[in-house]
Amino acid sequence: DVKVTQSSRYLVKRTGEKVFLECVQDMDHENMFWYRQDPGLGLRLIYFSYDVKMKEKGDIPEGYSVSREKKERFSLILESASTNQTSMYLCASSPSGQGALVTSTDTQYFGPGTRLTVL
Amino acid sequence: SQKIEQNSEALNIQEGKTATLTCNYTNYSPAYLQWYRQDPGRGPVFLLLIRENEKEKRKERLKVTFDTTLKQSLFHITASQPADSATYLCALGISYNTDKLIFGTGTRLQVFP
């Protein structure tokens, strides 16, 4: 079974603090993703990575950065946390896309989430 | 603008009935569409995938349809059970060249005994 783990289930930080959220997957997946999930807004993509040291901005990258030094680990960094970054953060991974042969195995596997509160 | 719409109101049905959830989209031409289940406090879990050239997919009590003309997918759970109570998310795969997905906001399903 694919396992995606996130470093914390709950986190409370203060405004202005630097925050690191860690995600690790154990299935040698090429792609990794960071989302945030807010009521009424659904899952929104912050950043994704399709290879080590490669990253692409998602829909809401402002205020965030990422790091992927090893294939299995993808970190989300809040350089200076703000109250509007209070949210549920979800990490996901997927194997490399297979083009037109995309199958049910090319889905995203999610971690349990980190509920971050910024005071 | 591009939009994915799922019923924001909860769907309440009685055990044994068929639940039907809707996913409508505008200004996208998805290559495929996926449905996920999410329980409170947990990450989404994949259920079914359907490609643009497929009309219908089934898996046990689940059925998904995909109408690219209507720009709509329907997700059916037959013989629903209280254990099916969860939030269901649709997600569009825009291109076969990327695993990036665009998620809807989800519909909460409540199945009563």
Side-chain angles (χ1 to χ4, degrees), chain B residues 6-23:
Chain B
Q6 292 186 257
N7 249 359
S8 56
E9 291 179 17
L11 178 64
N12 300 313
I13 64 165
Q14 194 171 21
E15 183 176 11
K17 303 287 186 189
T18 295
T20 298
L21 286 70
T22 305
C23 177

Side-chain angles (χ1 to χ4, degrees), chain A residues 39-57:
Chain A
L41 296 176
L43 276 160
R44 292 180 292 167
L45 182 64
I46 304 171
Y47 267 98
F48 70 102
S49 168
Y50 49 89
D51 202 351
V52 175
K53 296 192 187 295
M54 306 299 282
K55 62 186 179 188
E56 266 194 46
K57 292 180 180 179

Side-chain angles (χ1 to χ4, degrees), chain A residues 41-92:
Chain A
L41 296 176
L43 276 160
R44 292 180 292 167
L45 182 64
I46 304 171
Y47 267 98
F48 70 102
S49 168
Y50 49 89
D51 202 351
V52 175
K53 296 192 187 295
M54 306 299 282
K55 62 186 179 188
E56 266 194 46
K57 292 180 180 179
D59 300 316
I60 50 163
E62 297 79 20
Y64 304 94
S65 62
V66 291
S67 171
R68 193 164 180 204
E69 296 295 319
K70 293 185 177 181
K71 192 175 186 180
E72 67 272 16
R73 189 179 297 269
F74 192 35
S75 303
L76 180 70
I77 303 149
L78 287 66
E79 294 291 340
S80 177
S82 64
T83 54
N84 63 13
Q85 291 178 310
T86 292
S87 186
M88 169 70 94
Y89 289 87
L90 288 157
C91 173

Side-chain angles (χ1 to χ4, degrees), chain A residues 10-63:
Chain A
Y10 300 94
L11 210 51
V12 180
K13 296 291 181 181
R14 298 214 172 269
T15 303
E17 278 192 79
K18 189 168 187 175
V19 181
F20 292 87
L21 302 182
E22 303 283 339
C23 176
V24 177
Q25 50 96 2
D26 67 356
M27 280 302 290
D28 202 36
H29 283 171
E30 307 290 334
N31 305 311
M32 295 188 76
F33 308 82
W34 273 107
Y35 296 90
R36 63 177 283 177
Q37 187 173 32
D38 302 286
L41 296 176
L43 276 160
R44 292 180 292 167
L45 182 64
I46 304 171
Y47 267 98
F48 70 102
S49 168
Y50 49 89
D51 202 351
V52 175
K53 296 192 187 295
M54 306 299 282
K55 62 186 179 188
E56 266 194 46
K57 292 180 180 179
D59 300 316
I60 50 163
E62 297 79 20

Side-chain angles (χ1 to χ4, degrees), chain B residues 33-109:
Chain B
L33 188 146
Q34 300 183 9
W35 282 88
Y36 287 76
R37 169 185 172 139
Q38 186 174 22
D39 292 287
R42 299 194 171 208
V45 174
F46 169 77
L47 296 174
L48 279 170
L49 176 149
I50 187 165
R51 294 189 195 84
E52 60 182 334
N53 60 349
E54 296 173 322
K55 296 289 185 195
E56 183 180 297
K57 266 288 183 60
R58 289 176 188 260
K59 180 183 172 184
E60 296 168 358
R61 294 185 296 111
L62 309 180
K63 184 177 88 170
V64 172
T65 62
F66 194 11
D67 189 326
T68 55
T69 303
L70 288 179
K71 294 186 180 293
Q72 181 183 78
S73 175
L74 298 179
F75 177 79
H76 306 272
I77 305 175
T78 57
S80 58
Q81 304 164 1
D84 295 325
S85 299
T87 295
Y88 292 86
L89 307 171
C90 72
L92 305 187
I94 299 307
S95 163
Y96 288 122
N97 294 323
T98 173
D99 285 355
K100 212 173 119 174
L101 294 173
I102 313 293
F103 281 86
T105 53
T107 298
R108 191 161 63 87
L109 172 67

